[in-house]
Amino acid sequence: MQMSPNDARTIAQAGMAALKGGDPGSARASFERVLAGGVADASVQLGLAYACLALQDQGGALVAVDAALRLEPGNVQALLFKADRMDQAGDARAASMFYRAAIGAAPNPAQLPRELQQELARAQAMCERYAQQFDAHLREQMARACADLGAESRRFTESLDLLSGSKQIYYQQPKVYYFPGLAQNQFFDPGQFAWLERLEAATDAIREELLAILDEGAPFEPYVQSQSNRPSKRQDGLVNNPAWSAFHLWRNGEAVRENAERCPKTMAALAEVPLTRLKGRSPSIMFSLLRPGTHIPPHHGLINTRLICHLPLIVPPGCALRVGNETRECEVGKAWVFDDTIEHEAWNRSDQTRVVLLFEIWRPELSLAEREMVSAMFDVIDQYQGGRGEWSI
């Protein structure tokens, strides 16, 4: 039987009192009773997390705080709690993300209790400490990596300054990594890419394989997916939403063999393409599906050492892509290459599904040595604290 809101509030208050009074066992029992009554909110889950922590139940504390963040992703105290747990677990990258999320979610400091202001100041100090440790490690390791490669690049050296925040980025706005001196192009001239015409010529064969996949009902996964060890993404309702979905042939630098083997003509058509190669991250190759009425809001990509390519395969009227100040209507078999670190958005205003072949390539301006240095840098980043390089395009 579901508990009444008044009873839930009374029991939750008793739990908070027990927690403050140094009786985490009673507090936990109260919060779990509210949960069993089916009327819990984020504050009850967070109270349970603190009770579990006091009882040295780390697993229960993480389960409870994750539940709180699902209910209220911007809860500052829950974000700080999760950040502290990630720090204690030795995952500095995740801890830093949650500390920064807490700082970003907090209102004007003057509106906050003094205790919470102090906690946010501590979070800022932790982020600065992580940044200093990471910067020192990265520069030391990259000095060795560049020496081993026998190469040097002024632009690459400047890119480390930009990565560390000692220099400011202008124009392109990648979320993770900026490589200086690259052209500020929105869409690229297809004549720059000798392989593009041959890819377009294979459109019918690629489309045939896509249609077979759709006819078989093969699963397309939501493109934006939540992760319990990262702050929730805010993508205007697209998190875990099949409205924007993908059928991956390659994902995070590895072939999805079952899927790729179903599309031999597609993979053959991509054989000459200079795909981005970053261990654990790239390439990613997929059929990207946008359901009727779906709008991907304006956003920026992660790194500007790559370009994104679309080959439209199923295109009803009313489908387009805007990059910067230029909007292009999709046309079957007409590929384009664009810089996703410039603000862009896409939409399907029709009553039918739109599908494109989507993949990523190296920026043509990068030398082979610079590509190797960028790849080596991300290897160092992913080795730091045993992190994983997964990301989304």
Side-chain angles (χ1 to χ4, degrees):
M1 180 176 180
Q2 184 163 337
M3 185 180 295
S4 72
N6 286 337
D7 288 343
R9 185 162 45 251
T10 299
I11 296 170
Q13 288 172 348
M16 291 296 183
L19 192 60
K20 292 179 180 178
D23 185 0
S26 296
R28 179 174 185 167
S30 294
F31 296 133
E32 288 179 339
R33 185 179 171 192
V34 175
L35 287 173
V39 289
D41 58 15
S43 65
V44 173
Q45 293 285 7
L46 185 56
L48 177 59
Y50 277 109
C52 289
L53 183 64
L55 293 167
Q56 299 185 345
D57 179 3
Q58 296 285 349
L62 283 173
V63 170
V65 75
D66 285 344
L69 288 171
R70 284 194 296 272
L71 292 167
E72 193 175 326
N75 186 302
V76 175
Q77 290 180 309
L79 288 165
L80 290 169
F81 186 96
K82 184 66 180 276
D84 288 340
R85 304 289 75 72
M86 294 295 96
D87 178 66
Q88 288 182 352
D91 190 345
R93 294 177 71 187
S96 179
M97 289 182 182
F98 280 102
Y99 282 130
R100 292 191 184 282
I103 294 167
N108 187 323
Q111 301 174 359
L112 299 174
R114 182 173 180 79
E115 182 178 346
L116 189 52
Q117 292 180 29
Q118 293 173 342
E119 283 295 286
L120 289 169
R122 181 177 65 84
Q124 183 63 49
M126 292 293 287
C127 290
E128 291 171 0
R129 190 186 78 183
Y130 292 145
Q132 291 169 0
Q133 291 173 344
F134 169 72
D135 186 55
H137 174 82
L138 179 64
R139 291 181 185 276
E140 178 185 354
Q141 294 299 314
M142 286 313 303
R144 296 176 183 174
C146 290
D148 291 341
L149 291 168
E152 58 182 0
S153 165
R154 178 192 57 79
R155 291 189 297 179
F156 180 78
T157 300
E158 186 179 350
S159 77
L160 294 181
D161 293 333
L162 293 165
L163 181 65
S164 69
S166 59
K167 289 187 178 179
Q168 188 174 356
I169 299 172
Y170 291 91
Y171 305 117
Q172 296 165 338
Q173 299 183 60
K175 294 180 179 179
V176 173
Y177 175 70
Y178 180 85
F179 193 107
L182 302 179
Q184 299 285 334
N185 292 339
Q186 297 172 166
F187 288 95
F188 280 67
D189 180 356
Q192 292 182 250
F193 311 101
W195 48 267
L196 195 57
E197 186 175 349
R198 292 188 288 276
L199 177 68
E200 290 177 333
T203 296
D204 289 344
I206 297 171
R207 190 171 187 272
E208 181 181 345
E209 292 180 336
L210 166 65
L211 291 173
I213 289 168
L214 292 172
D215 288 343
E216 293 167 13
F220 277 66
E221 300 178 358
Y223 181 72
V224 183
Q225 297 186 26
S226 60
Q227 295 176 279
S228 65
N229 65 338
R230 294 292 185 268
S232 295
K233 299 176 183 179
R234 298 189 176 186
Q235 297 249 357
D236 293 347
L238 289 176
V239 177
N240 301 323
N241 188 341
W244 182 18
S245 298
F247 183 83
H248 294 273
L249 307 182
W250 275 64
R251 187 173 193 174
N252 296 321
E254 295 183 359
V256 182
R257 294 200 176 279
E258 181 180 351
N259 293 350
E261 288 173 357
R262 297 171 71 173
C263 303
K265 295 177 182 178
T266 301
M267 298 311 302
L270 293 168
E272 299 179 36
V273 175
L275 299 168
T276 307
R277 302 283 179 177
L278 299 174
K279 183 179 178 182
R281 296 174 181 266
S282 301
S284 287
I285 305 170
M286 70 191 76
F287 292 121
S288 177
L289 181 151
L290 210 58
R291 297 191 187 280
T294 303
H295 175 216
I296 302 173
H299 63 288
H300 298 85
L302 301 173
I303 63 173
N304 72 333
T305 51
R306 70 178 182 188
L307 299 173
I308 303 300
C309 307
H310 284 184
L311 176 64
L313 299 170
I314 299 176
V315 184
C319 296
L321 172 71
R322 177 185 68 83
V323 182
N325 58 18
E326 185 175 356
T327 299
R328 293 189 179 183
E329 298 289 327
C330 296
E331 181 180 343
V332 171
K334 189 69 173 177
W336 53 47
V337 181
F338 66 96
D339 183 345
D340 75 327
T341 66
I342 296 172
E343 183 183 84
H344 62 288
E345 62 182 320
W347 56 84
N348 176 1
R349 293 173 179 161
S350 77
D351 58 359
Q352 302 171 57
T353 294
R354 181 230 72 177
V355 186
V356 303
L357 175 66
L358 187 157
F359 56 95
E360 53 191 327
I361 63 170
W362 284 110
R363 291 283 300 231
E365 306 98 311
L366 292 178
S367 69
L368 178 59
E370 288 171 333
R371 295 178 187 186
E372 290 176 344
M373 281 187 267
V374 170
S375 182
M377 180 194 69
F378 279 108
D379 280 346
V380 172
I381 290 173
D382 293 337
Q383 291 164 10
Y384 184 74
Q385 290 288 336
R388 297 189 305 168
E390 298 175 4
W391 59 26
S392 297
I393 286 178

